[in-house]
Amino acid sequence: MLKLEKRPQPSKAWVWLAPVVAVIATMIAGGALFALLGKDPLVAIRTIFWDPLFSEFAFFYRPQLLVKGAPLVLIAIGLSLGFRAGIWNIGAEGQYIVGALCGAGVGLAFYPMEGWFIFPLMVMAGALGGWAWAMIPAVLKVKFGTNEILVSLMLVYVAEQLLASMALGLMKNPEGFGFPGSRNLQQYPSAHNAELIAGSGMHWGVVAAMVAVIFAYVLMTRHILGFHIRLTGEAPRAARFAGVNPGRLVLICLGLAGALAGLAGMFEVSGPAGRVSIDFNVGYGFTAIIVAFLGRLHPLGILMAGLLMALTYIGGEIAQSRLGLPAAAIQMFQGMLLFFLLAVDVMTNYRLRLTWREVA
Amino acid sequence: MTAPVLSIKGLTKAYPGVVANSDVSFEVMKGEVHALLGENGAGKSTLVKMIYGLVKPDHGTMIFQGKAYAPAEPRAARAAGVAMVFQHFSLFDALNVAENIALGMEHPPRLADLAGRIREVSETYGLPLDPFRTVGDLSAGERQRVEIIRCLLQDPRLLIMDEPTSVLTPQEVEILFQTLRKLTAEGVAILYISHKLEEIRTLCDTATILRLGKKVATCTPADTTARALAEMMVGTVLHTPERSGRALGDVALELSGLSVRSPSAFGCSLKDISLEVRQGEVLGLGGVAGNGQDELLGALSGELRSGPDMVKMHGRAVGMLGPMERRRIGLLCAPEERLGHAAAPDMSLTENAMLTGSLRERLERRGFLDWGRARGFAEAIIQRFDVRTPGPGNAARSLSGGNLQKFVIGREVMQRPEVLVVNQPTWGVDASAAAAIRQALLDLAAGGTAVVVISQDLDELMEIADRFGALNEGRLSRIRPTSELNIEEIGLMMGGAHDMEVAHV
């Protein structure tokens, strides 16, 4: 008989082993799923995990790793701060959209003027927009005790409507022959988040993600605010006893997460995406939740998890075009990762014991 | 009185890394109150859990009423006639008494019938209880009655009671004892777990003493002294905390008209509490659990704010300050609940040292933490307070209750407080650790600190406090010097009858 037994303290090895086991389990279950869809599972897994990095066309895909990884890491870092404290911001997708709208809005407002100051202003506007969108659930929670999970999630749908309205109305390209969508910022040098090294995929968003990783690492391990965040997540009553003001922490965590998600949106709209369109958002804000947990809510873990998740995005696209796998199958594959991770996580606090029923 | 109801032979239970019980044998006779004595971690709980079917023994046999007995689960134990009253109640605050009792039954009768039976049992055994009152409104003593009646409805042959008197006033204890005597007269055997040695001497016919999982003695408690019992439990000679004569200084902490609403629906709001504590003085605050102790600690630690002038330190209004600012000026606290309030269970001792020590021990500089110093501070606490742990890197929850208590009290004591407030400093702590903690509090007072001890252990308060007051429904009784009080008067103060007593005089 299998039995779960609580460990006297959390296992350090399993904290880091769990993501690896989860990835392997996802590959097995995902392979079975692809087999059921009539595809060769080994080819499908190779296409997703191997081809983007080492195939003949890898030179084309490798930069994409940074382009897709940067927003995921940037958003996940912000989310992880709140998650550590038990503050569940599920609405990063909305903050990402509003950040993009604010950033693009500032850029478009200056068009066609050129100036070095335009891009920095857009960066600030993007961060502020995401921050402001996150402040709605934060203030409602602190003032009225509403549930931040519900409010932040519902605001995603509000943000999507706002995005559609902007793409069709206020921000529509006047020279766009009536098609929805804004001017392309890639063709507006002062507002373009261009590649810093041509062909590398490295843009300012990647730089911001790296800075965020380092900032979060220092905050969580060396600073009293990070300690209070962890303490609040582990033992809220002990945190209040230590002197943490829970309301202030909600504002800080949601605000930082919103600002980072807004930044991610702004770097995306002014760089790889180029313009505000109805289908601008592709779910980075939700995928970042998986990234945050897969990375153990640890900055360095998130960096690795973000790159891994970017890989499944790129590999998934290749698998779609080359093998004809449905997009939903790829999304399921990503979802499985979180599912297996949460399941394997039990091992951190419990150990399995094989016991034989004693003869009475 | 001659036939054993339960006989235990060679019970052994080992957990990974620790042997909880090793070859324990004893017999509980029909109609006797049998005490089970031992320090924390001596193996009392495990033993009782085996009898109640919660834990399966590795070796050994039990015979209950002449038959082999090996309950696979509590349900089997109850069916055989074993009932248990736990130290922590499992009652729903929002339901009434009868509903709570019905929830624990396998085939509950109609509520009206059940209420009738509850009345009947409660009258027979002198435990007055209205079946339709909401449990949230009941006192701790009344809640315990609910648990006892729940057991008695099963008509048990053996009743196990785990620390039943820790939540009762002396008068309530007397009522409980009468009930238990009535039960034994009917032939029910009672297995009685307690730390309170005087109580065991008055109530129990026999006592079995456990130490480190082994039985060390079976004796008749009335024939021996409390001190001898304690020394059998601990295995060494005990030191009584020493009080050196100290001169009282200025008033360090002053509460005037402190009123605070409890943040929880079933908590107890503080009403118009006034007191003064001088430097070098130990003030003891007694009272039955749930009469405002948690709230008072919260109002002093800064977790609950009050009007600025309601709390004063050396004459300075501090009622509006938060926990950090209060620590800065030397007002330190140690709450009752160790895991989750005084300490974060999954964090290491180093991190828990940081939890309250960051400011006064200068473990933090402009927001940045010095983990090396924090580790040093944790090590210093571990060393001075003899905390048994492999090292400061271990999680708080891996420590036994007594060891963690030594750590959290030590953490505050080592920060040289001006005023120290502790709630239940020795709750669930073994005798030798309790003595060490009390000595540390007295030493602190001798050094000029004003100490407030909130406790439900009256013996403890009588031993270390200079003056005594009791909390009752969030109000504070008149504070009187301990030397002029006896247990009877304290009981009246705890019951809230101090005004009547004054009226008599």
Side-chain angles (χ1 to χ4, degrees):
Chain A
M1 195 173 61
L2 279 174
K3 232 175 101 177
L4 281 175
E5 203 175 74
K6 196 161 168 86
R7 295 176 193 269
Q9 33 189 340
S11 155
K12 292 221 165 68
W14 268 104
V15 167
W16 292 102
L17 213 53
V20 178
V21 175
V23 168
I24 294 169
T26 308
M27 285 188 181
I28 295 169
L33 174 80
F34 299 143
L36 283 176
L37 288 167
K39 314 287 173 194
D40 183 340
L42 288 177
V43 172
I45 297 294
R46 199 199 63 204
T47 309
I48 295 173
F49 286 100
W50 185 264
D51 285 1
L53 294 177
F54 305 109
S55 75
E56 177 182 0
F57 301 105
F59 69 91
F60 176 72
Y61 297 122
R62 271 187 222 128
Q64 285 295 308
L65 206 59
L66 293 182
V67 169
K68 301 251 194 271
L72 288 175
V73 171
L74 206 50
I75 300 170
I77 288 284
L79 292 181
S80 71
L81 301 179
F83 290 173
R84 276 285 185 90
I87 299 162
W88 305 104
N89 176 8
I90 306 298
E93 186 80 358
Q95 294 139 25
Y96 171 84
I97 292 173
V98 175
L101 288 178
C102 292
V106 167
L108 292 170
F110 281 107
Y111 185 86
M113 191 170 110
E114 297 287 349
W116 61 267
F117 57 90
I118 295 178
F119 191 68
L121 276 180
M122 286 167 67
V123 172
M124 278 191 268
L128 270 176
W131 174 83
W133 206 247
M135 274 301 111
I136 301 172
V139 170
L140 287 177
K141 183 179 175 70
V142 172
K143 286 271 167 222
F144 305 108
T146 57
N147 183 321
E148 78 279 14
I149 300 177
L150 290 176
V151 178
S152 65
L153 179 61
M154 287 191 294
L155 281 169
V156 172
Y157 305 107
V158 178
E160 281 178 349
Q161 296 306 314
L162 196 64
L163 173 69
S165 134
M166 287 297 165
L168 294 170
L170 198 62
M171 291 190 191
K172 195 165 80 170
N173 186 357
E175 292 153 23
F177 309 104
F179 286 104
S182 71
R183 283 183 202 281
N184 196 331
L185 294 171
Q186 288 171 354
Q187 290 152 16
Y188 176 22
S190 287
H192 184 201
N193 171 23
E195 274 186 318
L196 298 171
I197 305 166
S200 66
M202 178 94 168
H203 60 72
W204 282 110
V206 180
V207 176
M210 295 305 294
V211 171
V213 167
I214 295 164
F215 166 80
Y217 183 81
V218 173
L219 179 77
M220 294 312 283
T221 57
R222 297 250 151 248
H223 197 270
I224 189 109
L225 177 62
F227 179 66
H228 283 167
I229 286 173
R230 288 194 292 133
L231 192 56
T232 304
E234 301 250 0
R237 232 183 136 198
R240 262 200 300 277
F241 173 62
V244 178
N245 176 348
R248 191 172 146 256
L249 207 64
V250 168
L251 294 176
I252 292 177
C253 285
L254 275 169
L256 275 174
L260 289 179
L263 275 181
M266 180 271 152
F267 286 125
E268 186 72 16
V269 78
S270 58
R275 57 197 201 100
V276 174
S277 60
I278 298 178
D279 54 358
F280 159 72
N281 61 312
V282 289
Y284 284 140
F286 292 119
T287 311
I289 298 171
I290 305 178
V291 171
F293 279 105
L294 197 62
R296 314 274 68 187
L297 305 181
H298 187 286
L300 298 179
I302 287 171
L303 182 63
M304 289 189 275
L307 290 174
L308 179 75
M309 206 47 110
L311 192 63
T312 67
Y313 259 109
I314 301 160
E317 276 172 29
I318 303 175
Q320 272 179 58
S321 63
R322 213 179 291 165
L323 303 178
L325 273 175
I330 302 299
Q331 284 172 5
M332 241 184 102
F333 189 72
Q334 293 175 339
M336 269 184 213
L337 204 49
L338 181 63
F339 174 83
F340 280 115
L341 181 72
L342 295 178
V344 178
D345 248 0
V346 172
M347 300 308 298
T348 313
N349 278 312
Y350 293 85
R351 64 177 136 225
L352 272 182
R353 271 222 330 174
L354 271 173
T355 54
W356 283 271
R357 220 169 235 293
E358 293 152 52
V359 187
Chain B
M1 279 282 294
T2 44
V5 173
L6 175 74
S7 56
I8 287 172
K9 287 202 185 71
L11 274 196
T12 300
K13 175 76 196 175
Y15 290 109
V18 58
V19 179
N21 283 132
S22 160
D23 196 20
V24 177
S25 309
F26 65 91
E27 292 183 331
V28 183
M29 298 295 168
K30 192 176 174 208
E32 76 165 350
V33 183
H34 192 116
L36 199 52
L37 263 172
E39 295 193 281
N40 272 73
K44 292 169 303 187
S45 317
T46 308
L47 187 61
V48 166
K49 281 180 185 164
M50 287 192 281
I51 299 172
Y52 196 54
L54 283 163
V55 169
K56 248 177 133 177
D58 297 336
H59 302 288
T61 53
M62 291 185 273
I63 295 171
F64 185 64
Q65 295 194 294
K67 274 177 266 172
Y69 172 71
E73 49 178 353
R75 201 190 315 193
R78 285 196 294 267
V82 177
M84 180 158 175
V85 177
F86 288 90
Q87 188 178 7
H88 297 281
F89 307 143
S90 44
L91 298 172
F92 294 95
D93 278 348
L95 299 181
N96 70 29
V97 172
E99 286 164 338
N100 262 294
I101 290 177
L103 271 178
M105 299 174 98
E106 270 149 59
H107 306 287
R110 287 191 328 131
L111 224 48
D113 297 344
L114 184 62
R117 286 189 57 202
I118 292 171
R119 280 221 176 78
E120 199 182 307
V121 171
S122 74
E123 274 161 29
T124 316
Y125 294 102
L127 298 167
L129 191 65
D130 177 356
F132 293 112
R133 274 185 67 196
T134 306
V135 166
D137 299 335
L138 300 182
S139 72
E142 287 170 313
R143 283 171 204 228
Q144 186 184 54
R145 284 180 202 164
V146 181
E147 294 277 12
I148 295 174
I149 287 172
R150 177 187 268 179
C151 288
L152 294 184
L153 284 172
Q154 301 162 20
D155 200 16
R157 303 322 299 157
L158 174 68
L159 181 63
I160 306 169
M161 304 199 82
D162 191 0
E163 302 245 359
T165 57
S166 56
V167 296
L168 304 180
T169 64
Q171 280 79 0
E172 284 176 314
V173 170
E174 197 39 54
I175 296 175
L176 174 71
F177 283 7
Q178 282 166 16
T179 306
L180 296 184
R181 289 196 186 102
K182 222 173 263 178
L183 281 168
T184 52
E186 292 175 9
V188 178
I190 293 167
L191 190 57
Y192 188 93
I193 301 172
S194 179
H195 275 116
K196 299 187 182 171
L197 303 168
E198 282 305 335
E199 213 176 272
I200 283 169
R201 288 190 61 234
T202 46
L203 179 73
C204 300
D205 305 305
T206 322
T208 292
I209 298 161
L210 297 178
R211 189 197 318 146
L212 301 173
K214 294 198 179 75
K215 186 178 96 165
V216 287
T218 295
C219 62
T220 307
D223 294 348
T224 174
T225 62
R227 195 182 176 85
L229 285 173
E231 288 177 355
M232 277 192 269
M233 273 163 63
V234 184
T236 54
V237 179
L238 277 177
H239 300 283
T240 322
E242 289 162 31
R243 251 201 262 209
S244 43
R246 16 182 190 166
L248 298 188
D250 300 334
V251 173
L253 176 74
E254 184 187 352
L255 304 184
S256 39
L258 174 68
S259 300
V260 180
R261 266 184 72 90
S262 171
S264 116
F266 291 109
C268 180
S269 301
L270 300 177
K271 299 166 195 97
D272 197 23
I273 289 181
S274 300
L275 58 83
E276 280 181 5
V277 198
R278 290 177 175 278
Q279 290 173 327
E281 185 183 34
V282 180
L283 172 67
L285 296 179
V288 178
N291 273 291
Q293 287 91 338
D294 281 350
E295 287 78 4
L296 181 59
L297 186 111
L300 290 171
S301 74
E303 288 161 275
L304 298 175
R305 312 289 166 87
S306 59
D309 290 329
M310 290 180 181
V311 184
K312 280 188 186 151
M313 276 272 292
H314 296 298
R316 181 184 154 193
V318 299
M320 67 299 182
L321 298 181
M324 287 280 198
E325 289 102 334
R326 292 195 196 193
R327 276 186 201 117
R328 192 187 306 277
I329 55 171
L331 171 52
L332 304 189
C333 294
E336 169 183 3
E337 185 67 45
R338 297 181 278 263
L339 283 176
H341 195 184
D346 284 328
M347 286 187 157
S348 68
L349 294 179
T350 303
E351 289 170 301
N352 274 299
M354 179 70 81
L355 195 140
T356 67
S358 61
L359 199 71
R360 288 180 79 79
E361 292 297 311
R362 275 174 303 182
L363 310 178
E364 165 206 352
R365 199 153 297 171
R366 271 180 283 145
F368 285 89
L369 307 174
D370 187 340
W371 287 112
R373 275 185 81 111
R375 192 184 163 87
F377 180 45
E379 271 163 357
I381 301 168
I382 290 169
Q383 202 189 4
R384 186 170 146 201
F385 285 83
D386 188 27
V387 179
R388 309 272 164 83
T389 172
N394 281 59
R397 80 163 193 232
S398 71
L399 267 65
S400 74
N403 272 313
L404 185 56
Q405 187 68 18
K406 283 194 274 186
F407 184 84
V408 297
I409 299 276
R411 182 180 66 186
E412 307 309 322
V413 168
M414 299 240 332
Q415 294 182 51
R416 305 164 311 276
E418 300 267 321
V419 175
L420 178 65
V421 184
V422 291
N423 189 5
Q424 296 275 63
T426 61
W427 184 80
V429 171
D430 61 57
S432 49
I437 288 172
R438 287 172 197 156
Q439 186 64 57
L441 294 175
L442 287 174
D443 291 349
L444 203 58
T449 300
V451 180
V452 179
V453 181
I454 306 171
S455 175
Q456 282 148 47
D457 184 342
L458 293 180
D459 297 335
E460 170 170 276
L461 293 178
M462 295 302 267
E463 192 176 303
I464 62 172
D466 301 308
R467 289 187 301 145
F468 175 88
L471 281 165
N472 188 288
E473 294 185 349
R475 289 176 203 283
L476 185 64
S477 72
R478 196 156 65 89
I479 293 176
R480 298 169 57 183
T482 16
S483 51
E484 59 178 55
L485 286 171
N486 60 35
I487 274 288
E488 205 67 27
E489 286 172 300
I490 289 178
L492 289 170
M493 287 166 82
M494 284 166 66
H498 52 280
D499 293 334
M500 276 160 47
E501 187 208 27
V502 172
H504 281 300
V505 180

